[in-house]
Amino acid sequence: MRLRRLLGWTSGIGATLAIAPAIASPQSLTDPVGDNCRDYTGIGNHCGPDITQAVFTTPGDGTMHVDITYASLPTEVIGGMPYPQLPEYVELGIYPATATSPALTGLAYRFSKFGADWKLQQNDQGLKVVGDGTATPRALGIELVVPLAPLGDPTGWRYAINAGNTGEVIPEHPDLAPNTGLFALATTTPPPGGGGGGGGGGGGGPATVPELSALDGIDGTQRGTKIKGTIEASTPGTLSVRALAPAGALASAAKLKTIGKSTKAVTAAGTIRFKVALKKSAKRKLAGKRVKVTLRLALTAEGQPTATAKRRITLKVP
């Protein structure tokens, strides 16, 4: 049986309004590899396309391009039948700037396949179609072209990308990028005609969005009472890392408990090394055990949205 959730979509008239300036071009945002599977109640674990990055650009023609790249498009086997995964099982969720998570209740707009076409729909208007777009699939990716007329400035919104089975909506897909929080864009090119503007402070360069990447610098199998790794940070700021393991017996419970944390000042963009020491209580409980540990990383920079990432490892405590 195919994994589906049918939506009561309604048709509408696409809007074509003023062309928006190119103010966020380009920005590359990443998502970890190997996070494309999830457990479905009653039918077990299933894996969808595995997102690695999304590149947002606004070429100045009234559209925003979102170029999504996948590490893999695994074939699903359901009821003994193979189902090839397709790039167009994707949904762009668009949220207000105040939103912090990809909850369905906070969704402002969604851009996804609508029959044979691609449409922008307004969530609080019964998924009314408010704009027409296009998408170009390729072997391991897809480029979405989203109309900006209903949205205006794309940096005023937050974004999440779903990849999985057709008919599922945010946040149901196996791979949801980013893993936690929402993608945010920063102004990288001034609007046309905006040379001198009032009141602005002199000169500094364009804002850089905080971003954490290269999570494969964190070894997936480690031994000891300290978890180590390297990541790439796009901006100076403060890096915090929390290590979590299942609570209770620290073996199988669903609830996670913090077993160690660290904070580090990031003075410049680039490769950052970190180390998280286990708490004394965790050392005692985990001694001689092998445990799955979830690392939650956050990079905060003044005046910018917090960048978050997640990496799962196996830790053997002596």
Side-chain angles (χ1 to χ4, degrees):
M1 182 181 68
R2 199 76 178 97
L3 302 176
R4 295 176 183 268
R5 176 174 175 177
L6 300 179
L7 300 176
W9 289 332
T10 58
S11 298
I13 299 174
T16 305
L17 299 176
I19 293 177
I23 57 176
S25 176
Q27 291 180 35
S28 179
L29 305 168
T30 60
D31 187 65
V33 176
D35 61 341
N36 58 315
C37 302
R38 69 183 290 259
D39 287 318
Y40 292 82
T41 302
I43 56 175
N45 188 269
H46 292 274
C47 302
D50 191 356
I51 298 171
T52 59
Q53 75 168 7
V55 180
F56 288 74
T57 59
T58 50
D61 61 355
T63 66
M64 177 175 66
H65 292 227
V66 185
D67 193 348
I68 301 163
T69 301
Y70 301 105
S72 63
L73 296 168
T75 297
E76 272 277 68
V77 178
I78 303 174
M81 295 293 294
Y83 291 90
Q85 297 284 358
L86 300 174
E88 58 258 39
Y89 294 158
V90 65
E91 173 188 12
L92 178 70
I94 304 170
Y95 293 81
T98 54
T100 58
S101 69
L104 182 60
T105 53
L107 186 67
Y109 296 87
R110 68 189 297 263
F111 183 78
S112 62
K113 199 169 185 180
F114 190 96
D117 303 314
W118 289 80
K119 305 287 186 180
L120 181 67
Q121 298 171 275
Q122 189 169 347
N123 196 40
D124 64 1
Q125 295 293 319
L127 292 176
K128 176 183 177 182
V129 173
V130 294
D132 298 306
T134 60
T136 305
R138 59 182 185 276
L140 282 175
I142 187 169
E143 183 172 14
L144 311 179
V145 180
V146 184
L148 276 178
L151 304 177
D153 179 0
T155 66
W157 300 92
R158 300 289 181 265
Y159 303 91
I161 299 168
N162 269 2
N165 297 283
T166 184
E168 290 182 314
V169 297
I170 281 178
E172 294 174 330
H173 289 13
D175 196 5
L176 180 62
N179 275 345
T180 58
L182 297 164
F183 286 141
L185 305 179
T187 301
T188 57
T189 4
T208 302
V209 176
E211 180 181 338
L212 295 170
S213 59
L215 298 184
D216 53 0
I218 306 171
D219 195 336
T221 303
Q222 299 194 31
R223 178 184 175 86
T225 58
K226 294 183 176 69
I227 300 169
K228 303 175 183 177
T230 65
I231 51 94
E232 293 289 324
S234 64
T235 64
T238 301
L239 174 69
S240 62
V241 184
R242 277 204 305 152
L244 302 103
L250 294 178
S252 60
K255 186 177 179 182
L256 296 179
K257 182 177 181 180
T258 299
I259 60 172
K261 59 183 178 180
S262 70
T263 302
K264 180 172 184 174
V266 177
T267 57
T271 302
I272 307 300
R273 298 182 181 276
F274 70 85
K275 183 188 301 181
V276 179
L278 300 187
K279 295 179 177 180
K280 290 182 179 180
S281 58
K283 290 179 186 178
R284 291 194 301 269
K285 291 180 180 179
L286 295 174
K289 296 180 180 178
R290 188 184 303 272
V291 64
K292 294 289 186 181
V293 177
T294 299
L295 296 176
R296 291 181 181 169
L297 302 94
L299 177 64
T300 58
E302 186 175 356
Q304 293 289 333
T306 298
T308 59
K310 183 168 65 174
R311 170 79 162 161
R312 293 193 69 191
I313 69 166
T314 299
L315 180 66
K316 178 65 170 69
V317 182

